[in-house]
Amino acid sequence: MVKIKKPLNYITYSVSLIGASPLYIWLNLPAQIFLPIALVFGFYSEQKNRYIISSRTATVLSIAFFLFYASQLSLANIVIPVVNMLVLLLSMHLITEKNSRKYLQIFVLSLFCLASSSVFSISVSFFPALILLVFGVTIGLVLLTFYTKEPGRSIPAPQLYTILKTATILPIVSLLLMLLFFVILPRTEHPLWNFLNPITSATSGFSEEVQPGTIASNVAVKTLAFRAQCQELPPEMLYWRGTVLNTLNNTVWQRADFPEESTQVLGGETVRCTLYLPAKNNQFLFTLDHPLSLSGIRHSASSDSVFLASHSLETKTGFQLISRVGGELTVLKPVDSSFYLKIPDNLSPQLLEVAEAIRQNSYSQRETIALLKNFFREQNLSYATDDLPGPQAPIDEFLFTKKRGYCEFFASSFALLLRMTGVPSRLVGGYLGGRYNNLGGYYLITEDMAHVWVEALVDDQWIRIDPTKLAHNSSATPMAGQRPTLSLLQRTVDAIDYFWTRAVITYDFQKQISLIQHTGKGLQSLQRNWKYTVKEYYPILWIILSGVVIWQITRWKTTSREERILKRYLRAVRRRHKVKSIPPNMGLNELANQLQDPVCEEFAHIFGSALYSEHRLTKGEHQRILSLIHILERGKKPDDH
Amino acid sequence: MTSDLAHQAKILHFLDRLSNHYLQGKIRALKMAVIALLSDGHLLLEDIPGLGKTTLALALSSALGLSFGRIQCTSDLLPSDITGLSIFDRELNTFRFIEGPIFNHILLVDEINRAMPKTQSAMLEAMEERKVTVEGKTYPLPEPFMVIATQNPTEQIGTYRLPESQMDRFLITTGIGYPPEDLEKAIIRQGGIRKKMNEIEPIVSRIEIEEARQAVSGIHLSDKLVDYIFKIAHATREHPFTVSGISTRGAISMASAARAVAYLENRNYVIPEDIKLIASPVAAHRLIFLPEHESLNKQEVLQSILQTVPVPIV
């Protein structure tokens, strides 16, 4: 026969040894001293069944340790105190008397210890230690179930071996499964079920090229482009820069290698912003115009303020952004402006005529721009997404015949005319506007907000020109910032999705810490306000108090003297004999016999005789019963006599 | 403490003496027998042969100073073998009734399940009615009258199991069990005590038993405990394993047996522990299980039912 506690102890102490030893060299001196002492003395105490430290002292000590290390806790110094706290708690559990709950806590603490050792270094020993720990904890848990059922239980040795053998199968199987699930599966590039439908680029909305005239109508979809957490800004400031298209090939605006320029953003208001991009298969990192810097993701930046991620954005990502809203993109060194003046050869005579007329009437680039804007207004162009100009001569058709189109037509024709009149220009693709979700404090940008505008190089500054605003119906277009607001439900659902992305997908440790600090401050201010608020609650307090009093009185009235006596007696018995609960199927004599307490026996005799022969307790009996209960309540512990 | 119960000390002395001198290791069965006697019931001993069922019955009757009859049941036993029969007396030129073994105070019916159902029911009827009718003439049975029947639970070939309705006639069903190790060795060493049986002096008289029975029936059973017995009976009827639970007769038996326990404890009132003590010997054999649960131990099921019924302690 083997006592179940024996193998359980062996396993418990080996598990804590395996769990804590990789951590040992990183610990502070007190923990370094206390851990081996706890291991040795704890094990010794278990053998002798005598404990050096009582559990009450241990609790006090644990709280003291906790407070000491908690006071050292700060954002800069978080790992060391936590790890020391873990080890000291583990040691406390090891050295004191254990119940099944404590065994369980030891297992958990050992696992935490091993896990936290990986914060310092992952040495080769981590893996075997982890496997050993998995084995130890699993077998230990199986033994613990037996122990919990009956702590003093002994089982025959062959049976114990069977249990141990069976328990060993569990970790072996789970380790094999772990190999399958945690090693093989995450190695695939995509979630497994994704191979059925690979992500395709959005057919409408933001695109990498601008080629007006290729589609007859443009139906924008309200799918999520990205979310941007920042302060609320004026709508006309919300130009989200994606890409710069600097080359015009026939009617197609594309991005090509461009002469290196050195630029700087001057003026404007600094805005910090965090962007959360959904999974998509391009590399564009959108920025609030004009961006200064970007962090939190590996990326490359070009001098025309286009940011590309180093790898395709196949999972949800988030990054931080610093922008100057309303700033000017200033060129520090002269730019090879001929690159931004290239035009195709086969331009229509009508277009050349317009360009010539403007060129002759203007004396400066700024005036040219003003004249061109006037020309656009005079043409009475309208913003539309259907009945669009065809692919043959989209620009001519847009400007002179159909006179309707969407932002791509406005921007590309404006930029072309700028180039024809000698103003270096390029197209910028991105998004305009955004719906502010005040539940989450962020902008929601959807694909229907995709936009193209023009940048012209005037006096060493890239000036933003938005030709779409020149449409006669521009105030009615969605670009004017008059977007229908989302319903509360839509906002709530979107905010939940946003917080999920923020808290789980792009987990931010700093945010958690600041949240904790914020909570602490909130509590402090609550305490300060306490004495003011308490007065307001006096009436409620009175109502509750009188309610309690009335309840007590009615209970007193409705219960008989015997019921009260019995209740008091049972409470005293529970406390004195440390019985958790007395089952309702147990009679008083039975209880007294089981407890082997003469006081209880006498009580059961007197009380039972009154109860079951149905006479009232005499005065003497009542006195005696009360004094018996008194003995139970005041008496020494039963094992003291 | 009330000790005005008639002959309580004497009965206790009787129990003590029997269990210490003649029936070592059978204290429980003996106590059950006395409870059955005091509450005017019958006893069924269910156990394998050779554990002293007959010895128990013999010792009891000798120590009580009561007459003792014995029937060894076989499959060809006729009802008249038990009740007796009329024989033609040539000298008187009339029929004369010869009393059968049932006309004794204590009747040992060995291996009752070997008798034919016809014989079984004739005897069980006599047990209930306390009288025997032969050829139109009714003969009362002596008072006190107690049947101690034995039944071998393992041997099933050539037996007629007592139907559950007949089992209900027995107040108490109990086993004897093997004596403790030391005691059994001592018994092996000394041999049986059948010879010693003859020297047992009557300790309690018939009149005293009558008076003790009177005292037992006067013991107070509070309404709370009536309610408790009802709740136990009700719980057995509602239990998912049972076809039928404890009958009203079963509940009455529980009450009277609990009174007898209280008497032996020298109390003039019943406490819940008395009921719990006799619940399984008195009630377990009355449970009828559904066919799929028939293999279950009735005593254990009853104990588990008892666990669910709260004891009235207020």
Side-chain angles (χ1 to χ4, degrees):
Chain A
M1 296 292 266
V2 184
K3 265 202 151 188
I4 200 88
K5 204 174 171 181
K6 210 172 164 188
L8 182 62
N9 274 330
Y10 282 123
I11 284 174
T12 308
Y13 281 89
S14 348
V15 158
S16 16
L17 190 65
I18 295 165
S21 50
L23 205 58
Y24 189 70
I25 49 171
W26 308 100
L27 295 174
N28 285 350
L29 194 62
Q32 270 187 336
I33 294 171
F34 194 51
L35 178 66
I37 289 177
L39 270 169
V40 172
F41 277 86
F43 194 69
Y44 181 76
S45 309
E46 284 298 337
Q47 303 294 315
K48 298 280 164 202
N49 211 13
R50 257 201 354 249
Y51 300 90
I52 304 166
I53 301 178
S54 75
S55 49
R56 200 169 295 174
T57 325
T59 313
V60 173
L61 273 176
S62 303
I63 291 168
F65 283 139
F66 184 83
L67 289 177
F68 175 70
Y69 282 109
S71 69
Q72 297 192 342
L73 211 62
S74 71
L75 194 53
N77 178 28
I78 194 159
V79 179
I80 297 283
V82 167
V83 160
N84 278 292
M85 214 142 73
L86 271 180
V87 170
L88 284 172
L89 275 180
L90 177 65
S91 312
M92 271 307 165
H93 279 73
L94 285 175
I95 206 163
T96 50
E97 194 176 358
K98 296 166 211 37
N99 51 21
S100 42
R101 202 183 67 214
K102 284 211 167 159
Y103 278 115
L104 204 61
Q105 285 170 349
I106 289 174
F107 290 153
V108 173
L109 285 171
S110 306
L111 272 173
F112 282 174
C113 282
L114 184 69
S116 55
S117 79
S118 68
V119 174
F120 298 99
S121 77
I122 293 193
S123 70
V124 193
S125 63
F126 180 81
F127 190 58
L130 179 67
I131 288 179
L132 278 176
L133 207 63
V134 168
F135 269 87
V137 169
T138 322
I139 297 169
L141 284 176
V142 172
L143 289 178
L144 196 59
T145 53
F146 284 89
Y147 180 78
T148 314
K149 198 88 185 162
E150 194 186 327
R153 183 172 179 156
S154 301
I155 45 177
Q159 210 181 334
L160 181 70
Y161 286 128
T162 320
I163 291 168
L164 290 180
K165 261 192 284 183
T166 321
T168 325
I169 295 170
L170 287 172
I172 289 174
V173 171
S174 54
L175 280 172
L176 286 175
L177 283 176
M178 196 169 85
L179 203 71
L180 184 73
F181 288 124
F182 292 89
V183 180
I184 298 171
L185 292 190
R187 298 279 159 200
T188 62
E189 294 243 316
H190 302 279
L192 268 191
W193 49 88
N194 251 22
F195 70 93
L196 291 170
N197 45 351
I199 308 162
T200 51
S201 182
T203 48
S204 57
F206 177 80
S207 65
E208 295 173 41
E209 282 183 350
V210 167
Q211 188 181 9
T214 47
I215 45 168
S217 66
N218 179 13
V219 182
V221 281
K222 272 199 172 64
T223 52
L224 171 72
F226 59 89
R227 296 189 186 95
Q229 189 204 14
C230 59
Q231 71 218 55
E232 201 167 358
L233 294 164
E236 66 271 16
M237 295 292 191
L238 293 171
Y239 280 91
W240 304 97
R241 194 183 186 90
T243 184
V244 169
L245 308 171
N246 45 28
T247 312
L248 178 61
N249 288 327
N250 251 337
T251 57
V252 186
W253 284 87
Q254 285 169 326
R255 180 168 177 78
D257 287 336
F258 58 96
E260 195 57 38
E261 30 182 285
S262 115
T263 52
Q264 196 185 358
V265 181
L266 295 177
E269 184 195 348
T270 305
V271 173
R272 281 166 201 279
C273 181
T274 308
L275 266 83
Y276 298 95
L277 296 171
K280 50 173 83 181
N281 64 352
N282 61 32
Q283 289 167 282
F284 291 102
L285 298 175
F286 295 93
T287 54
L288 185 60
D289 219 15
H290 292 283
L292 283 183
S293 65
L294 199 147
S295 61
I297 190 166
R298 291 185 63 187
H299 66 277
S300 59
S302 351
S303 55
D304 56 356
S305 298
V306 172
F307 292 85
L308 292 177
S310 307
H311 51 84
S312 202
L313 302 165
E314 277 158 352
T315 53
K316 290 186 177 183
T317 30
F319 59 89
Q320 287 77 44
L321 172 72
I322 300 172
S323 291
R324 283 274 172 78
V325 172
E328 295 292 345
L329 191 63
T330 311
V331 180
L332 299 176
K333 282 184 211 157
V335 182
D336 176 17
S337 55
S338 66
F339 178 78
Y340 291 108
L341 289 171
K342 279 182 195 158
I343 48 172
D345 308 325
N346 53 346
L347 294 168
S348 70
Q350 220 172 354
L351 212 55
L352 286 169
E353 203 180 296
V354 172
E356 187 59 37
I358 292 170
R359 199 162 37 206
Q360 282 187 356
N361 287 332
S362 76
Y363 304 100
S364 68
Q365 288 179 321
R366 284 189 192 276
E367 205 176 337
T368 308
I369 293 170
L371 284 171
L372 199 53
K373 281 184 176 176
N374 274 339
F375 166 72
F376 264 66
R377 282 195 197 97
E378 283 160 14
Q379 289 305 103
N380 206 16
L381 302 165
S382 58
Y383 183 91
T385 53
D386 56 353
D387 192 17
L388 297 169
Q392 298 301 321
I395 302 298
D396 287 81
E397 213 174 313
F398 168 65
L399 284 176
F400 304 115
T401 55
K402 282 209 164 167
K403 298 194 176 181
R404 53 193 283 123
Y406 55 95
C407 59
E408 287 192 4
F409 289 92
F410 283 91
S412 55
S413 53
F414 199 91
L416 175 64
L417 280 168
L418 276 178
R419 284 191 173 193
M420 287 165 75
T421 50
V423 182
S425 59
R426 60 190 185 191
L427 292 190
V428 183
Y431 294 89
L432 171 63
R435 290 188 188 86
Y436 197 71
N437 188 329
N438 41 17
L439 285 177
Y442 63 89
Y443 276 108
L444 175 71
I445 290 98
T446 47
E447 286 296 345
D448 62 330
M449 298 176 189
H451 192 50
V452 181
W453 62 93
V454 176
E455 274 184 350
L457 184 63
V458 181
D459 303 335
D460 290 341
Q461 276 190 340
W462 284 103
I463 303 171
R464 183 200 300 145
I465 304 164
D466 192 349
T468 316
K469 285 187 176 163
L470 303 172
H472 73 84
N473 60 346
S474 76
S475 59
T477 63
M479 299 301 159
Q482 292 170 336
R483 295 181 183 281
T485 49
L486 294 171
S487 73
L488 182 65
L489 181 68
Q490 283 173 309
R491 270 185 293 161
T492 314
V493 170
D494 194 68
I496 291 168
D497 186 28
Y498 163 75
F499 282 123
W500 168 256
T501 310
R502 214 179 64 171
V504 180
I505 309 293
T506 55
Y507 177 76
D508 189 345
F509 189 61
Q510 188 126 14
K511 195 141 286 164
Q512 313 302 318
I513 290 288
S514 73
L515 194 71
I516 291 167
Q517 286 173 342
H518 189 76
T519 316
K521 275 178 196 159
L523 278 176
Q524 280 172 0
S525 66
L526 196 74
Q527 279 175 344
R528 273 201 299 278
N529 292 336
W530 173 245
K531 56 186 167 204
Y532 299 108
T533 52
V534 78
K535 271 183 190 167
E536 298 167 25
Y537 293 113
Y538 269 154
I540 298 171
L541 219 65
W542 274 117
I543 292 168
I544 293 171
L545 259 177
S546 42
V548 168
V549 169
I550 290 167
W551 182 60
Q552 283 289 345
I553 289 170
T554 46
R555 225 177 52 161
W556 183 258
K557 287 274 176 198
T558 50
T559 56
S560 67
R561 183 180 65 164
E562 281 70 24
E563 277 175 286
R564 290 197 295 275
I565 288 173
L566 189 77
K567 205 172 164 190
R568 208 176 133 197
Y569 165 73
L570 290 177
R571 192 171 54 213
V573 168
R574 276 199 298 270
R575 205 167 289 167
R576 170 151 180 183
H577 290 280
K578 304 215 164 60
V579 190
K580 279 222 176 81
S581 65
I582 294 161
N585 61 356
M586 191 176 267
L588 291 173
N589 284 53
E590 209 178 345
L591 178 69
N593 285 342
Q594 271 196 13
L595 297 174
Q596 295 185 327
D597 187 339
V599 178
C600 293
E601 274 165 28
E602 195 180 343
F603 175 89
H605 176 67
I606 299 171
F607 192 80
S609 78
L611 179 66
Y612 299 118
S613 62
E614 288 173 303
H615 69 77
R616 269 184 76 81
L617 286 169
T618 62
K619 205 170 179 184
E621 283 173 340
H622 189 215
Q623 290 289 325
R624 181 66 192 147
I625 276 185
L626 289 183
S627 69
L628 287 173
I629 293 175
H630 197 71
I631 292 170
L632 280 176
E633 282 169 347
R634 302 275 157 205
K636 294 174 187 172
K637 284 183 185 174
D639 50 5
D640 285 356
H641 54 75
Chain B
M1 188 70 215
T2 46
S3 54
D4 50 352
L5 294 166
H7 314 300
Q8 197 269 346
K10 211 160 187 187
I11 299 269
L12 268 194
H13 169 69
F14 154 77
L15 255 177
D16 257 14
R17 186 155 172 77
L18 267 191
S19 62
N20 288 337
H21 289 81
Y22 304 105
L23 301 168
Q24 287 110 326
K26 296 190 186 63
I27 176 75
R28 199 187 116 81
L30 182 64
K31 206 170 168 185
M32 287 302 155
V34 172
I35 290 168
L37 181 75
L38 289 176
S39 42
D40 201 10
H42 307 287
L43 178 70
L44 177 65
L45 293 173
E46 265 191 322
D47 224 328
I48 55 168
L51 290 181
K53 292 181 294 239
T54 316
T55 314
L56 177 73
L58 272 171
L60 201 64
S61 58
S62 321
L64 291 172
L66 299 171
S67 67
F68 176 74
R70 176 174 181 165
I71 304 163
Q72 184 67 45
C73 290
T74 55
S75 54
D76 55 358
L77 187 78
L78 294 170
S80 59
D81 294 337
I82 297 173
T83 55
L85 72 168
S86 298
I87 303 170
F88 184 72
D89 194 328
R90 260 188 224 176
E91 285 173 20
L92 296 172
N93 210 16
T94 65
F95 280 95
R96 187 161 57 87
F97 183 65
I98 306 290
E99 289 181 347
I102 202 162
F103 290 91
N104 279 305
H105 291 293
I106 290 186
L107 176 68
L108 175 65
V109 185
D110 236 348
E111 308 214 52
I112 188 168
N113 53 342
R114 290 206 172 274
M116 284 183 297
K118 188 178 168 187
T119 315
Q120 278 179 9
S121 65
M123 193 192 64
L124 292 162
E125 251 179 74
M127 277 163 62
E128 189 67 19
E129 307 291 326
R130 310 277 158 138
K131 56 190 181 229
V132 172
T133 305
V134 180
E135 288 153 17
K137 222 171 160 189
T138 301
Y139 306 93
L141 294 179
E143 268 306 307
F145 173 68
M146 177 171 144
V147 174
I148 300 176
T150 71
Q151 180 167 248
N152 182 350
T154 52
E155 257 179 65
Q156 296 299 332
I157 302 162
T159 61
Y160 306 91
R161 268 193 73 195
L162 281 181
E164 274 84 0
S165 58
Q166 307 281 33
M167 295 282 274
D168 209 18
R169 305 271 166 98
F170 287 97
L171 181 83
I172 286 174
T173 301
T174 182
I176 290 185
Y178 295 105
E181 191 183 324
D182 297 347
L183 211 57
E184 189 164 7
K185 282 179 188 164
I187 294 169
I188 295 167
R189 199 175 300 125
Q190 294 159 8
I193 56 151
R194 284 287 172 90
K195 274 178 227 155
K196 274 165 81 183
M197 282 294 164
N198 301 330
E199 55 195 66
I200 299 178
E201 295 284 320
I203 301 167
V204 191
S205 71
R206 203 169 64 82
I207 308 296
E208 283 166 340
I209 291 170
E210 282 298 320
E211 281 168 5
R213 278 183 166 192
Q214 291 284 325
V216 167
S217 60
I219 282 175
H220 183 77
L221 180 73
S222 78
D223 286 345
K224 290 189 173 88
L225 295 178
V226 172
D227 187 54
Y228 182 54
I229 292 173
F230 169 76
K231 276 182 180 156
I232 293 171
H234 190 72
T236 63
R237 292 166 199 169
E238 299 285 304
H239 199 267
F241 290 179
T242 57
V243 177
S244 69
I246 299 168
S247 60
T248 309
R249 174 164 42 200
I252 295 169
S253 305
M254 278 173 82
S256 52
R259 283 196 175 100
V261 176
Y263 174 84
L264 291 181
E265 299 274 321
N266 198 16
R267 253 187 280 106
N268 61 358
Y269 55 89
V270 178
I271 61 169
E273 281 79 358
D274 301 337
I275 297 167
K276 286 178 107 174
L277 182 76
I278 50 81
S280 105
V282 171
H285 63 277
R286 297 171 206 260
L287 300 179
I288 302 170
F289 286 159
L290 290 167
E292 58 264 40
H293 299 299
E294 249 165 17
S295 58
L296 289 173
N297 185 330
K298 291 184 175 180
Q299 312 244 349
E300 280 168 15
V301 173
L302 190 85
Q303 283 302 327
S304 78
I305 291 171
L306 270 185
Q307 298 292 319
T308 63
V309 182
V311 170
I313 53 173
V314 170

